[in-house]
Amino acid sequence: MKRILVTGGAGFLGSHLCDRLLADGNDVICLDNLFTGSKDNIRHLLVNPYFEYIRHDVTEPIQLEVDQIYNLACPASPIHYQYNPIKTANTSVLGAINMLELARKTNARILQASTSEVYGNPQIHPQPESYWGSVNPIGIRSCYDEGKRMAETLFFDYHRQYDVDIRVIRIFNTYGPRMNPSDGRVVSNFIVQAIRGEALTVYGTGTQTRSFCYVDDLIDGMVRMMETEDFLGPVNLGNPEEFTMMNLAKKIINLTGSNSHIVHAKLPSDDPVQRQPIIDLAMEMLDWKPSISLDDGLQRTIAYFRKIL
Ligand code: NAD
Ligand code: UDP
């Protein structure tokens, strides 16, 4: 049994990760300031003696005895990370430093939840890990993109300078049950709008693309990366099937059987035009690839939102 800290553990991905780590027989500490996460996501775990919840902000140091740290604490959707951009940058950078210091003191292995946003608006398509990205350093997404890039830098410097045992994953758009219905991400927005019979808001022409990974697949890749030896990453984790936002809107209208129609709204600035991971490295080093199709994953996510709305 390992003692595992999950920062951001009351969020969408973090709560699924806590479920998985407990099911694998570990002792899990969930640390979260509940900015975008919710106790509802971990309510079912609070009775488990091998689960503890700590309300704490990763921008402040903390002392705990742990064997592994998954660092997920950070608002992830554009409306939430742009709400207080300076706080977002602090969360990524100070959060990384505080968790890396904890890893250094306790000799814990530490995994950083980085993002496809480090590639910015990519000039190379699809994106391999070797691509250094095309990021606007002064735009409205920069607090998140550059914060995550700096966190990656800190991880590799702590490894080189202090020999901290790091792992870095770059997560591409992931969706599933427990997404925050009001965080403005495209999958949750479209499903909520379709269920409520409201118009689906496609930003711009809807020709921009994303590749969507179901949460269970992503968590499996994340745990494999933490458990692998002699491979630090960064490694892309995502589903390489690519869809336009217009395709996605139509698919969700079909799957929900909704009468909603589609309206176009203003495209936010710096919205990446295309996004698709190359996952050869994850297949080779982790023997991992996603197994849940978009249709199947959307059905499961729609069933969840029907229950909570
Ligand atoms: P989420 O918003 O549901 O989860 C983030 C969690 O971090 C929330 O519970 C929030 O309350 C907590 N948090 C935020 N700031 C904090 C702080 N200062 N101190 C302590 N806790 C704090 O988002 P998610 O989709 O679960 O994302 C989890 C991680 O994965 C994030 O780091 C995100 O950048 C990364 N990621 C997610 C995706 C995706 O598609 N879901 C893609 C790329 C990267
Ligand atoms: N998007 C959209 N309608 C919405 C929400 C988002 O068309 O109601 C678009 C958004 O402009 C982007 C894509 O969907 O091109 C994915 O957005 P999301 O915020 O989910 O993720 P990210 O842009 O961070 O990849």
Side-chain angles (χ1 to χ4, degrees), residues 78 117 141 173 184-186 189-190 201-203 208 210 245 267-268 271 275:
E117 292 288 325
R141 294 173 84 99
N173 296 63
R185 280 187 261 194
V186 69
N189 265 11
F190 285 177
T201 51
V202 169
Y203 300 161
Q208 71 272 35
R210 294 292 186 276
M245 295 311 100
L267 186 69
D271 198 278
R275 193 58 81 51

Side-chain angles (χ1 to χ4, degrees), residues 21-49:
L21 296 173
L22 287 163
D24 288 349
N26 297 294
D27 193 327
V28 174
I29 303 173
C30 161
L31 179 159
D32 204 296
N33 71 351
L34 300 184
F35 174 48
T36 52
S38 160
K39 278 192 186 168
D40 287 338
N41 289 338
I42 51 167
R43 185 198 296 266
H44 60 291
L45 301 177
L46 295 172
V47 292
N48 186 331

